[in-house]
Amino acid sequence: MSDKQAFTLEDIQALTKTLNDYSYAYHVQDAPIVPDAEYDRCYRALQEMEAQHPEWVQQDSPTQRVGEKPDNGFASVDHTVPMLSLDNAFDNDSMVDFDERIQKLSKMTDITYCCEPKLDGLAISLRYENGQLVRGVTRGDGLTGEDITSNIKTIYSVPLKLRSDNPPPVLEVRGEIYMPKAGFEKLNQQAAERGEKTFVNPRNAAAGSLRQLDPKVTASRPLVLCAYSIGYVEGWEQPDSHYEGLLQLAEWGFKTNNLMARVKGVQGCLEYYDKLATERDELSYDIDGIVYKVDSITQQNKLGFVARAPRWAIARKFPAQEEVTQILGVDFQVGRTGAITPVARLQPTFVGGVTVSNATLHNQDEIDRLGVKVNDWVVIRRAGDVIPQVVHVLNERRTGAEQEVEFPTKCPVCDSDIERVAGEAVQRCTGGLVCGAQLKERLKHFVSRKAMDIDGLGDKLIEQLVDAKLVTTPVDIYSLKDKPARLLAMERMGDKSVEKLLNAIEQSKQTLFNRFVYALGIREVGEATARTLTQYFGSLEKLMSATEADLIEVEDVGPIVAQHIRLFFDQEDNVATVEGLLEQGITWEIAQIGDASEQPLAGKTYVVTGTLSRYSRDEVKDTLIKLGAKVSGSVSGKTDCLVAGEKAGSKLAKAQSLNVPVMDEEALHQMLTDLGAV
Ligand code: JCF
């Protein structure tokens, strides 16, 4: 506002409220109502108005979130009401015991429990006086914590002021401060790029961020507060339900967990656990279990405490995702593109619900970053279906018996040289298809479900076929029909399975252009890129003759991908393989490579998400492509329609926030039926 327009106190108050509403929608409700640019514009406008009239700055102005360093570090503060810890349960039996104890003590049956995911962060207590945030304190030892108000204020999901015209005179809210997985990854990536130390997990990153003396540092960290209980209140009648108390907190502007639920009895608790256990890995934040609380506050008060833990609550823990074990040795595996991956052989350990005996070490850089040696004791992590990782080395356990990891210079499978391309982290075997390992991996990729989809040609059989030199290129798969006796000689192959396999191979010849291109296994060309390429070029000849400059024109294809594609088709044996496959009779529907503009869904971009029951997601994608649509992996402003099955998560939320039309499975089925596609 360089031209100094006149404005009033009311204008500042109104703009402050507008910004806080935007921020609440974004940070608490996860449903932004304006683009970031609009928020930033309003924020700068408020900053300028405040600079002209500092005496009008509102206490809850977003500009007040980042303040000065506290002068004398963090002061100690006694909690009004102690912050309790939780007893743990590790199995169903302990949950049954817990419920029986509650029934006995309260002389009631069918207890109502309030359940919520247990966030893996740090507990804090927030004090509000007449609706204004006055203090934020860490849990500390439960009785005394540290005053970290200046850091807490930088967290946007912490309301500086309650959203109420008559807030309670005093309110203390307890909650967990955590760092969502995506923010954690980004933070670590930035730290790594600057050559700084990375955090081992989101919990440590959250703890480290709150311990910063400079609030500016905390402000730069992606922290979130989720409220989990009312710790203390004056001048307001609490409902006799923990659950309803949380609903009130949500109304006052706090983020509460949207998976929170009330259930009946231990049966309800166990069902809730099973459901969350399957969803755990898809959540945007780490959880380490479920918290169950007796819902009635009257009952809670009657049940009371033992030592520091309430009798009315329990934390049911998931199997640990991190464990300590020893590295017995390091093997080197050769992948489809020749990439050499060091794999740590571990003393087998139960982690994340399974026994793990291997963990990937990725590449030389990762070995250097971890500083890992053979015989080291390490923390390993297995989350969901992700390959187990080595998180860090326990240096204090070193005995002197540790040995450096020696990266080979020759391929352990074919003895060809290993080379490292400048600027790349991976080292590769230069053997190409001479290397049995690369050939096996390429074949496994070629026959996989999203590629040529040849059922019955499993990893074990491929290995045998390659070892027996029956198959030396993908083309050979299609002449197996001339050698049934050789197939019968393979392990666990009978007349029936040979017949089935040969049928599956024949059937795979009728495919889709994008599947074929994906199956070729060109480096950096995944399922989505294969789709984009085939839709852009329309024919194999055009794709094969495209220059790097032509390729860069394709959406999502950058110079590196373009180079890999060109390199692939410049290699004679690759061209020979493609031609050989076509000679074997591989074809795809002409509709796909015909005049795209005449197809019913031409020019439309679809995204498919969630669980479908009538079709598989791949089937739906294939069908949409046949109808001329483009299928993308992520929702954006350019998306024309999101097909959302059950349990659609973030993509559905994003589509809704961008007003992208959403179609459920029924509507999709109707459309495909109307178009005669099914
Ligand atoms: O999410 C949590 N980590 C969490 C911790 C949730 C709760 O409801 C808690 C808690 C610690 C103590 N409740 C208590 C009483």
PDB file of all heavy atoms in Angstrom, residues 84-86 116-120 176 228 291 293 310 312, ligand 1:
ATOM      1  N   LEU A  84      -0.607 -37.328  31.897  1.00  0.00           N
ATOM      2  CA  LEU A  84      -0.443 -38.750  32.169  1.00  0.00           C
ATOM      3  C   LEU A  84       0.235 -39.476  31.022  1.00  0.00           C
ATOM      4  O   LEU A  84       0.250 -39.005  29.897  1.00  0.00           O
ATOM      5  CB  LEU A  84      -1.826 -39.361  32.392  1.00  0.00           C
ATOM      6  CG  LEU A  84      -2.615 -38.626  33.457  1.00  0.00           C
ATOM      7  CD1 LEU A  84      -4.080 -39.010  33.387  1.00  0.00           C
ATOM      8  CD2 LEU A  84      -2.043 -38.937  34.828  1.00  0.00           C
ATOM      9  N   SER A  85       0.790 -40.627  31.374  1.00  0.00           N
ATOM     10  CA  SER A  85       1.250 -41.502  30.300  1.00  0.00           C
ATOM     11  C   SER A  85       0.192 -42.597  30.141  1.00  0.00           C
ATOM     12  O   SER A  85      -0.796 -42.611  30.847  1.00  0.00           O
ATOM     13  CB  SER A  85       2.615 -42.088  30.647  1.00  0.00           C
ATOM     14  OG  SER A  85       2.553 -42.665  31.928  1.00  0.00           O
ATOM     15  N   LEU A  86       0.438 -43.500  29.223  1.00  0.00           N
ATOM     16  CA  LEU A  86      -0.565 -44.537  28.950  1.00  0.00           C
ATOM     17  C   LEU A  86       0.037 -45.907  29.186  1.00  0.00           C
ATOM     18  O   LEU A  86       1.195 -46.151  28.855  1.00  0.00           O
ATOM     19  CB  LEU A  86      -1.015 -44.450  27.491  1.00  0.00           C
ATOM     20  CG  LEU A  86      -1.797 -43.201  27.088  1.00  0.00           C
ATOM     21  CD1 LEU A  86      -1.904 -43.116  25.577  1.00  0.00           C
ATOM     22  CD2 LEU A  86      -3.189 -43.218  27.712  1.00  0.00           C
ATOM     23  N   GLU A 116      -8.853 -43.755  18.963  1.00  0.00           N
ATOM     24  CA  GLU A 116      -8.183 -42.864  18.000  1.00  0.00           C
ATOM     25  C   GLU A 116      -6.783 -43.416  17.723  1.00  0.00           C
ATOM     26  O   GLU A 116      -6.215 -44.128  18.554  1.00  0.00           O
ATOM     27  CB  GLU A 116      -8.069 -41.453  18.569  1.00  0.00           C
ATOM     28  CG  GLU A 116      -7.178 -41.431  19.785  1.00  0.00           C
ATOM     29  CD  GLU A 116      -7.150 -40.107  20.530  1.00  0.00           C
ATOM     30  OE1 GLU A 116      -6.925 -39.091  19.876  1.00  0.00           O
ATOM     31  OE2 GLU A 116      -7.341 -40.112  21.752  1.00  0.00           O
ATOM     32  N   PRO A 117      -6.226 -43.107  16.563  1.00  0.00           N
ATOM     33  CA  PRO A 117      -4.858 -43.537  16.285  1.00  0.00           C
ATOM     34  C   PRO A 117      -3.910 -42.860  17.273  1.00  0.00           C
ATOM     35  O   PRO A 117      -4.145 -41.717  17.662  1.00  0.00           O
ATOM     36  CB  PRO A 117      -4.585 -43.021  14.876  1.00  0.00           C
ATOM     37  CG  PRO A 117      -5.904 -42.664  14.311  1.00  0.00           C
ATOM     38  CD  PRO A 117      -6.798 -42.340  15.450  1.00  0.00           C
ATOM     39  N   LYS A 118      -2.858 -43.550  17.668  1.00  0.00           N
ATOM     40  CA  LYS A 118      -1.867 -42.950  18.566  1.00  0.00           C
ATOM     41  C   LYS A 118      -0.760 -42.352  17.705  1.00  0.00           C
ATOM     42  O   LYS A 118       0.015 -43.064  17.077  1.00  0.00           O
ATOM     43  CB  LYS A 118      -1.308 -44.000  19.518  1.00  0.00           C
ATOM     44  CG  LYS A 118      -0.344 -43.427  20.534  1.00  0.00           C
ATOM     45  CD  LYS A 118      -0.039 -44.443  21.627  1.00  0.00           C
ATOM     46  CE  LYS A 118       0.835 -43.835  22.692  1.00  0.00           C
ATOM     47  NZ  LYS A 118       2.167 -43.477  22.188  1.00  0.00           N
ATOM     48  N   LEU A 119      -0.731 -41.043  17.667  1.00  0.00           N
ATOM     49  CA  LEU A 119       0.241 -40.348  16.822  1.00  0.00           C
ATOM     50  C   LEU A 119       1.626 -40.483  17.418  1.00  0.00           C
ATOM     51  O   LEU A 119       1.789 -40.460  18.634  1.00  0.00           O
ATOM     52  CB  LEU A 119      -0.125 -38.872  16.735  1.00  0.00           C
ATOM     53  CG  LEU A 119      -1.482 -38.582  16.114  1.00  0.00           C
ATOM     54  CD1 LEU A 119      -1.861 -37.137  16.341  1.00  0.00           C
ATOM     55  CD2 LEU A 119      -1.444 -38.889  14.632  1.00  0.00           C
ATOM     56  N   ASP A 120       2.609 -40.584  16.547  1.00  0.00           N
ATOM     57  CA  ASP A 120       3.981 -40.726  17.022  1.00  0.00           C
ATOM     58  C   ASP A 120       4.651 -39.352  16.991  1.00  0.00           C
ATOM     59  O   ASP A 120       5.333 -38.995  16.048  1.00  0.00           O
ATOM     60  CB  ASP A 120       4.731 -41.727  16.139  1.00  0.00           C
ATOM     61  CG  ASP A 120       5.838 -42.405  16.907  1.00  0.00           C
ATOM     62  OD1 ASP A 120       6.001 -42.104  18.106  1.00  0.00           O
ATOM     63  OD2 ASP A 120       6.537 -43.224  16.304  1.00  0.00           O
ATOM     64  N   GLU A 176      -1.021 -33.779  20.560  1.00  0.00           N
ATOM     65  CA  GLU A 176       0.235 -34.349  20.094  1.00  0.00           C
ATOM     66  C   GLU A 176       0.732 -33.486  18.934  1.00  0.00           C
ATOM     67  O   GLU A 176      -0.025 -33.188  18.010  1.00  0.00           O
ATOM     68  CB  GLU A 176      -0.030 -35.792  19.637  1.00  0.00           C
ATOM     69  CG  GLU A 176       1.195 -36.617  19.414  1.00  0.00           C
ATOM     70  CD  GLU A 176       1.725 -37.300  20.691  1.00  0.00           C
ATOM     71  OE1 GLU A 176       1.160 -37.095  21.790  1.00  0.00           O
ATOM     72  OE2 GLU A 176       2.722 -38.031  20.568  1.00  0.00           O
ATOM     73  N   TYR A 228      -6.042 -34.065  21.666  1.00  0.00           N
ATOM     74  CA  TYR A 228      -6.608 -35.356  22.064  1.00  0.00           C
ATOM     75  C   TYR A 228      -7.362 -35.346  23.383  1.00  0.00           C
ATOM     76  O   TYR A 228      -7.987 -36.334  23.731  1.00  0.00           O
ATOM     77  CB  TYR A 228      -5.579 -36.483  22.012  1.00  0.00           C
ATOM     78  CG  TYR A 228      -4.405 -36.383  22.974  1.00  0.00           C
ATOM     79  CD1 TYR A 228      -4.594 -36.443  24.362  1.00  0.00           C
ATOM     80  CD2 TYR A 228      -3.110 -36.265  22.488  1.00  0.00           C
ATOM     81  CE1 TYR A 228      -3.517 -36.363  25.227  1.00  0.00           C
ATOM     82  CE2 TYR A 228      -2.028 -36.185  23.350  1.00  0.00           C
ATOM     83  CZ  TYR A 228      -2.240 -36.234  24.719  1.00  0.00           C
ATOM     84  OH  TYR A 228      -1.183 -36.164  25.570  1.00  0.00           O
ATOM     85  N   VAL A 291      -5.199 -45.557  20.775  1.00  0.00           N
ATOM     86  CA  VAL A 291      -5.517 -45.192  22.158  1.00  0.00           C
ATOM     87  C   VAL A 291      -7.005 -45.445  22.390  1.00  0.00           C
ATOM     88  O   VAL A 291      -7.842 -45.006  21.592  1.00  0.00           O
ATOM     89  CB  VAL A 291      -5.204 -43.705  22.445  1.00  0.00           C
ATOM     90  CG1 VAL A 291      -5.500 -43.378  23.908  1.00  0.00           C
ATOM     91  CG2 VAL A 291      -3.769 -43.381  22.103  1.00  0.00           C
ATOM     92  N   LYS A 293     -10.088 -45.037  25.260  1.00  0.00           N
ATOM     93  CA  LYS A 293     -10.434 -44.377  26.520  1.00  0.00           C
ATOM     94  C   LYS A 293     -11.886 -44.667  26.852  1.00  0.00           C
ATOM     95  O   LYS A 293     -12.733 -44.667  25.949  1.00  0.00           O
ATOM     96  CB  LYS A 293     -10.260 -42.862  26.390  1.00  0.00           C
ATOM     97  CG  LYS A 293      -8.825 -42.443  26.217  1.00  0.00           C
ATOM     98  CD  LYS A 293      -8.678 -40.953  26.009  1.00  0.00           C
ATOM     99  CE  LYS A 293      -7.192 -40.622  25.870  1.00  0.00           C
ATOM    100  NZ  LYS A 293      -6.957 -39.237  25.471  1.00  0.00           N
ATOM    101  N   PRO A 310      -3.663 -43.478  33.722  1.00  0.00           N
ATOM    102  CA  PRO A 310      -5.071 -43.627  34.079  1.00  0.00           C
ATOM    103  C   PRO A 310      -5.523 -45.083  33.931  1.00  0.00           C
ATOM    104  O   PRO A 310      -5.029 -45.787  33.056  1.00  0.00           O
ATOM    105  CB  PRO A 310      -5.794 -42.737  33.071  1.00  0.00           C
ATOM    106  CG  PRO A 310      -4.871 -42.613  31.910  1.00  0.00           C
ATOM    107  CD  PRO A 310      -3.479 -42.803  32.414  1.00  0.00           C
ATOM    108  N   TRP A 312      -8.469 -45.769  33.062  1.00  0.00           N
ATOM    109  CA  TRP A 312      -9.540 -45.742  32.055  1.00  0.00           C
ATOM    110  C   TRP A 312      -9.025 -45.643  30.614  1.00  0.00           C
ATOM    111  O   TRP A 312      -9.809 -45.455  29.689  1.00  0.00           O
ATOM    112  CB  TRP A 312     -10.496 -44.583  32.339  1.00  0.00           C
ATOM    113  CG  TRP A 312      -9.804 -43.301  32.761  1.00  0.00           C
ATOM    114  CD1 TRP A 312      -9.593 -42.879  34.040  1.00  0.00           C
ATOM    115  CD2 TRP A 312      -9.221 -42.295  31.913  1.00  0.00           C
ATOM    116  NE1 TRP A 312      -8.912 -41.674  34.042  1.00  0.00           N
ATOM    117  CE2 TRP A 312      -8.672 -41.291  32.756  1.00  0.00           C
ATOM    118  CE3 TRP A 312      -9.111 -42.147  30.528  1.00  0.00           C
ATOM    119  CZ2 TRP A 312      -8.031 -40.157  32.257  1.00  0.00           C
ATOM    120  CZ3 TRP A 312      -8.472 -41.011  30.032  1.00  0.00           C
ATOM    121  CH2 TRP A 312      -7.937 -40.037  30.902  1.00  0.00           C
TER     122      TRP A 312
HETATM  123  O1  JCF B   1      -1.752 -39.622  19.981  1.00  0.00           O
HETATM  124  C1  JCF B   1      -1.168 -39.762  21.037  1.00  0.00           C
HETATM  125  N1  JCF B   1       0.116 -39.969  21.014  1.00  0.00           N
HETATM  126  C2  JCF B   1      -1.891 -39.730  22.333  1.00  0.00           C
HETATM  127  C3  JCF B   1      -1.184 -39.711  23.532  1.00  0.00           C
HETATM  128  C4  JCF B   1      -3.286 -39.706  22.334  1.00  0.00           C
HETATM  129  C5  JCF B   1      -3.965 -39.671  23.526  1.00  0.00           C
HETATM  130  O2  JCF B   1      -5.288 -39.658  23.512  1.00  0.00           O
HETATM  131  C6  JCF B   1      -3.290 -39.665  24.766  1.00  0.00           C
HETATM  132  C7  JCF B   1      -1.875 -39.668  24.749  1.00  0.00           C
HETATM  133  C8  JCF B   1      -1.211 -39.654  25.975  1.00  0.00           C
HETATM  134  C9  JCF B   1      -1.947 -39.621  27.151  1.00  0.00           C
HETATM  135  N2  JCF B   1      -3.978 -39.620  25.934  1.00  0.00           N
HETATM  136  C10 JCF B   1      -3.326 -39.607  27.110  1.00  0.00           C
HETATM  137  C11 JCF B   1      -4.105 -39.603  28.306  1.00  0.00           C
END
